[in-house]
Amino acid sequence: DIASIEAGIDALDQPLESRPQWLAEKEDDQHVLEEEVTSNPGWQASVTLEAKDTVETGEEDEEELYCQRSKLFRFDGEWKDRGFGDAKLLKHNETGKVRFMFRQEKTMKIIANHFVIEIAAFCALRRNIGSKACWVWSALDCAGGELVADQFALKFGNVDLANKFNEAFDDAKQINAKSGVRHRGLFFVF
């Protein structure tokens, strides 16, 4: 009946010692301790996995000139959120060339990867309409394995962080101009 159901519900809010005997017995019946299975006789793993001490990211031979957490967008008919991560400017130790790289925070997948060049159509930062903390530019990006012209927007937490990115990006263009990264048609000469 309803009165006994309500009494049982009220009893659940009480400490164990003061609960009715019939409810305590039911709770004991529901909790069965099982032993954890750690081996299965006759079964062997087909692959043995080894833990690596270090994970190679492709950034080992590069100096980090700039790094700031931000949010990247890519234009594909409309602006698509590519996630949060670190926007980095990396200078190669041997060649001296600087690239922009954005690795998504959750998946560690490279979302943007291109050289920072001084060409009218590419890598010309401009403010996003409606936000002084967001920069928009186009670049020949190779994050997907092929060279593709993409348009990016990078949004920062505040205007000061956005301005620091602009300065570092312009410095990277100058470094690449001195390092010999130049544009010839749609191909780069390094």
Side-chain angles (χ1 to χ4, degrees):
D1 71 25
I2 295 180
S4 62
I5 294 172
E6 289 177 350
I9 292 172
D10 292 339
L12 289 174
D13 293 334
Q14 298 173 4
L16 277 175
E17 305 83 39
S18 61
R19 290 184 183 177
Q21 182 64 30
W22 63 270
L23 183 60
E25 289 172 2
K26 281 190 175 184
E27 286 179 355
D28 288 341
D29 292 342
Q30 291 176 359
H31 298 295
V32 177
L33 295 176
E34 291 185 14
E35 192 174 313
E36 182 180 0
V37 177
T38 57
S39 66
N40 189 353
W43 180 82
Q44 278 188 331
S46 58
V47 177
T48 304
L49 300 177
E50 296 178 23
K52 291 186 173 184
D53 292 335
T54 59
V55 177
E56 292 183 19
T57 63
E59 302 172 34
E60 292 77 21
D61 296 332
E62 295 173 306
E63 173 190 352
E64 189 177 279
L65 300 178
Y66 174 87
C67 181
Q68 177 60 51
R69 186 172 188 269
S70 53
K71 188 173 190 177
L72 185 74
F73 296 86
R74 178 180 273 164
F75 191 77
D76 186 19
E78 62 182 349
W79 287 108
K80 294 188 179 179
D81 183 350
R82 304 305 292 159
F84 285 98
D86 287 333
K88 294 182 179 183
L89 293 172
L90 303 168
K91 181 180 178 183
H92 195 274
N93 292 334
E94 292 178 21
T95 63
K97 296 172 182 150
V98 181
R99 67 181 174 127
F100 171 83
M101 190 192 68
F102 186 92
R103 190 180 297 270
Q104 196 175 47
E105 210 171 58
K106 290 183 180 179
T107 63
M108 298 306 286
K109 181 180 177 185
I110 296 175
I111 304 299
N113 184 23
H114 62 81
F115 283 108
V116 182
I117 53 176
E118 184 69 59
I119 298 172
F122 299 112
C123 296
L125 291 182
R126 59 191 184 282
R127 295 254 189 218
N128 186 27
I129 298 171
S131 177
K132 292 183 179 182
C134 186
W135 291 105
V136 177
W137 75 97
S138 295
L140 289 174
D141 189 65
C142 61
E146 295 180 16
L147 205 57
V148 178
D150 272 326
Q151 188 172 12
F152 297 104
L154 193 61
K155 187 173 183 179
F156 294 91
N158 60 49
V159 177
D160 291 336
L161 294 175
N163 290 337
K164 288 178 184 176
F165 174 74
N166 182 30
E167 292 171 15
F169 201 80
D170 287 343
D171 291 345
K173 287 186 209 177
Q174 299 306 316
I175 292 169
N176 278 342
K178 292 176 187 173
S179 298
V181 178
R182 58 190 187 280
H183 180 267
R184 186 177 293 158
L186 285 178
F187 300 97
F188 288 97
V189 179
F190 302 107

